[in-house]
């Protein structure tokens, strides 16, 4: 990933936070940058490790608080099945997400289907259930792995 692309992404996140009146602190920005640069789902421990490589020693609660903030601001999503985080592909608006997760290369593709979202909400309501949020995770094989290309 090119550095300028990462900076563009972080500046965009910064602008969004400014607009919402919330603070993207240096630490939150760093955590977001690590998740975005990973390009794959990344766990909290791995994030902590990468921050330590930068020479500092952040405490785990600091990282968890940063993750909480980023989730709350819809800048990242949590993949429950993998216990890992991914940067959101379209953080400018709140949305329910669907993820295609390749079990071979770990690639994650974020989908956004209002139709599927509506169907799930309708089904939940027929059971008297009030959904707060939902994330659909579909595991399988991505197009590249299906073609037999190794991702390395
Ligand atoms: Zn998203
Ligand atoms: Zn794959």
């Amino acid at each position: 990933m090119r550095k300028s692309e990462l900076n563009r992404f972080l500046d965009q996140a910064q602008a969004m936070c400014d607009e919402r009146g919330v603070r993207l602190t240096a630490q939150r920005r760093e955590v977001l940058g690590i998740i975005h640069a990973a390009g794959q789902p990344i766990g909290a421990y791995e994030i902590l490790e990468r921050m330590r490589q930068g020479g500092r020693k952040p405490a785990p609660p600091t990282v968890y608080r940063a993750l909480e903030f980023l989730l709350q601001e819809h800048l990242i999503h949590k993949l429950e099945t993998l216990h890992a985080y991914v940067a959101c592909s379209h953080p400018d608006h709140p949305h329910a997400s669907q993820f295609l997760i390749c079990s071979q290369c770990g690639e994650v593709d974020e989908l956004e289907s209002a139709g599927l979202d509506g169907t799930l909400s309708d089904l939940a309501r027929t059971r008297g259930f009030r959904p707060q949020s939902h994330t659909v995770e579909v595991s399988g094989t991505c197009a590249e792995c299906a073609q037999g290309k190794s991702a390395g």
Side-chain angles (χ1 to χ4, degrees):
M1 173 158 312
R2 297 198 326 276
K3 179 135 183 125
S4 58
E5 209 269 301
L6 178 60
N7 282 336
R8 199 178 51 79
F9 171 81
L10 289 172
D11 288 346
Q12 202 181 5
Q14 183 92 60
M16 244 175 314
C17 286
D18 287 348
E19 220 167 275
R20 293 172 189 166
V22 295
R23 284 188 66 219
L24 186 69
T25 60
Q27 193 133 45
R28 290 165 174 172
R29 190 182 162 105
E30 185 182 5
V31 170
L32 180 61
I34 288 171
I35 295 170
H36 183 74
Q40 283 199 348
I42 181 169
Y45 271 100
E46 177 86 34
I47 293 168
L48 201 55
E49 277 306 307
R50 293 197 188 182
M51 288 173 87
R52 281 179 178 153
Q53 281 166 18
R56 294 180 304 100
K57 292 188 171 68
T62 337
V63 174
Y64 280 107
R65 276 199 298 273
L67 289 169
E68 277 301 311
F69 171 85
L70 297 171
L71 282 170
Q72 201 182 308
E73 295 305 320
H74 309 289
L75 293 168
I76 61 171
H77 293 290
K78 185 176 185 185
L79 297 176
E80 301 289 346
T81 56
L82 300 174
H83 301 288
Y85 301 86
V86 288
C88 180
S89 317
H90 30 73
D92 52 315
H93 59 284
H95 52 271
S97 290
Q98 297 88 34
F99 293 96
L100 303 178
I101 304 169
C102 179
S103 50
Q104 287 188 41
C105 68
E107 187 74 32
V108 170
D109 200 3
E110 180 176 352
L111 310 173
E112 186 187 6
S113 162
L116 184 54
D117 190 19
T119 304
L120 269 173
S121 297
D122 289 348
L123 282 172
R125 266 194 291 273
T126 65
R127 303 288 173 107
F129 189 89
R130 293 182 193 181
Q132 255 175 3
S133 67
H134 69 253
T135 302
V136 176
E137 300 176 29
V138 183
S139 60
T141 311
C142 76
E144 255 181 53
C145 290
Q147 282 172 19
K149 283 179 202 157
S150 166

